[in-house]
Amino acid sequence: MSIYRFSLIGRRALGAASACLLLLGAIPALAWPDSPNDEWQALIEAATAEGGVTVLANANLGDDFIAAFSADTGVPITLSVGEHGEGRARFNRETETGQATFDVFIGGRSSYELADKGLLTEIAPLLILPEVTDGANWRDGAMSWIDSAKTYLPMPIGYVSAFVLINKDVIDPASVKVWDDLLSPDLAGRIAMHDPTVPGGTGAGASVSLFLAESKGQAYLETLYGTQIGETTADYRQLVDWVARGTYPVALGTRALDIERYRAEGLDNLVVLNMQDVPGYISGGTSIMAMPASAPNKAAAQVFANWFLSRSGQTAFARAARAPSFRTDVTGGNWPEYLNPEPGRVYINQYDQNWAETVEPALRTVLDDILSR
């Protein structure tokens, strides 16, 4: 069952205020966007008349995110947050049956097949704010999309994955600069890794392994698993704990939130390394936006899409996700520096539809063969 969170501002106070304003034929003046035109004003009125937007999310969103949307648009919002894949299951089920009870979904990778079947709304034509469509506001000069058509599934967040975590009290950080350094005899049996066999194959261990299979080759992965990996675990926190205690002084597949939790507790022996030869891959986390073709509130969904991809929306979302936005005007933030993609470096995008459907299957065959030995 999904957990429903209702904003008192978004659902009650703003809802009542909007109803009164509609009766008076007026919409309150808002500070965002900077220069709203008649088309945008009409869209806000239509969205308010619909009763607002319902957002289904697997992301770690909450009251601050709701308050930011409400303050910027004046449109009521209901946020429904699913646990343990429940949001994804509901999204797939209601989208496939054409009976969506929500307007927008924010979640992780996939949904390609729904786009290919025509079950999703094309988002690109709905983006009408210049600050959203201007490529100068996005890394690499354009908004990032994960679907091949580049119209259904925008990916506004992108952070570096496949970094290496070490205990600097045990391992000299200067001795680990490139991926081949992990194959040193000194590290044999001393590297821990997130379990690559976690059901669903979407855990960090599997993702890192696929990345290494592609960037370093099968022989590298065979040596890594054959001589260097001492233990695997499906528990992300345990993985960081092993490194902090020196049980395994090197780890692959750790999460930033666990690393930063330990650092916040006063541990200063954890060092994150981005390799100098191959910089890792890009993950979109749970930032992918999709709209079912059967979404009930079309105008409200369009307002949300434009806001979500704007500077204001991405500032709120990046803070909630603790990860960097692809927008060039969303900087700083509450995420660690090592998650930021470095300018000029080329990263593998494991969320890209072409990669997921053509490259990944072959790599998974290689990984499965190695793990079965």
Side-chain angles (χ1 to χ4, degrees), residues 176-194:
V176 184
K177 296 181 179 180
V178 296
W179 287 104
D180 283 348
D181 290 336
L182 295 183
L183 303 186
S184 166
D186 292 339
L187 295 181
R190 303 177 72 192
I191 301 175
M193 189 174 193
H194 186 259

Side-chain angles (χ1 to χ4, degrees), residues 24-335:
L24 295 173
I27 293 293
L30 299 167
W32 178 91
D34 292 335
S35 302
N37 56 26
D38 291 343
E39 181 183 13
W40 180 254
Q41 197 66 20
L43 185 62
I44 290 290
E45 293 178 12
T48 305
E50 286 177 339
V53 63
T54 296
V55 178
L56 174 64
N58 279 341
N60 184 27
L61 304 179
D63 291 341
D64 289 345
F65 182 80
I66 290 175
F69 175 80
S70 298
D72 283 341
T73 67
V75 175
I77 179 172
T78 299
L79 178 63
S80 176
V81 180
E83 297 283 347
H84 306 300
E86 291 176 347
R88 166 65 60 184
R90 178 182 165 193
F91 166 67
N92 289 339
R93 181 176 63 254
E94 295 186 15
T95 299
E96 289 173 349
T97 59
Q99 298 178 336
T101 57
F102 57 92
D103 306 302
V104 179
F105 175 68
I106 301 176
R109 199 187 78 165
S110 76
S111 304
Y112 316 116
E113 70 286 351
L114 297 176
D116 293 341
K117 292 177 181 178
L119 296 175
L120 298 180
T121 297
E122 293 188 42
I123 292 177
L126 302 180
L127 304 178
I128 60 176
L129 293 181
E131 70 161 296
V132 173
T133 58
D134 186 352
N137 291 328
W138 296 94
R139 185 176 182 267
D140 297 329
M143 188 185 303
S144 178
W145 302 80
I146 67 170
D147 61 291
S148 298
K150 298 188 182 304
T151 189
Y152 294 99
L153 303 167
M155 184 176 92
I157 292 286
Y159 57 90
V160 177
S161 294
F163 46 74
V164 178
L165 181 67
I166 70 169
N167 182 324
K168 70 176 183 179
D169 294 339
V170 181
I171 302 295
D172 180 4
S175 68
V176 184
K177 296 181 179 180
V178 296
W179 287 104
D180 283 348
D181 290 336
L182 295 183
L183 303 186
S184 166
D186 292 339
L187 295 181
R190 303 177 72 192
I191 301 175
M193 189 174 193
H194 186 259
D195 188 353
T197 66
V198 169
T202 58
S207 296
V208 170
S209 297
L210 295 175
F211 157 74
L212 290 173
E214 179 177 12
S215 60
K216 296 297 295 179
Q218 180 173 347
Y220 180 93
L221 201 59
E222 288 174 342
T223 302
L224 183 70
Y225 276 107
T227 64
Q228 308 301 99
I229 302 298
E231 186 62 87
T232 64
T233 177
D235 187 331
Y236 285 105
R237 188 177 178 103
Q238 182 181 49
L239 195 59
V240 176
D241 186 73
W242 280 342
V243 178
R245 296 175 183 276
T247 307
Y248 293 95
V250 181
L252 298 173
T254 56
R255 299 186 307 184
L257 66 90
D258 299 304
I259 296 171
E260 298 311 310
R261 183 182 294 119
Y262 271 81
R263 285 176 167 176
E265 293 172 357
L267 290 176
D268 60 359
N269 62 347
L270 297 175
V271 175
V272 176
L273 302 174
N274 283 313
M275 298 294 95
Q276 297 176 8
D277 53 343
V278 185
Y281 63 91
I282 290 291
S283 174
T286 53
S287 72
I288 310 304
M289 179 169 59
M291 292 182 189
S294 57
N297 301 309
K298 307 292 187 183
Q302 184 176 2
V303 168
F304 182 87
N306 279 271
W307 176 82
F308 182 66
L309 298 171
S310 72
R311 179 183 181 181
S312 185
Q314 280 302 290
T315 297
F317 185 78
R319 177 163 292 278
R322 296 181 177 272
S325 172
F326 277 141
R327 285 193 65 99
T328 58
D329 51 7
V330 178
T331 58
N334 57 344
W335 56 87

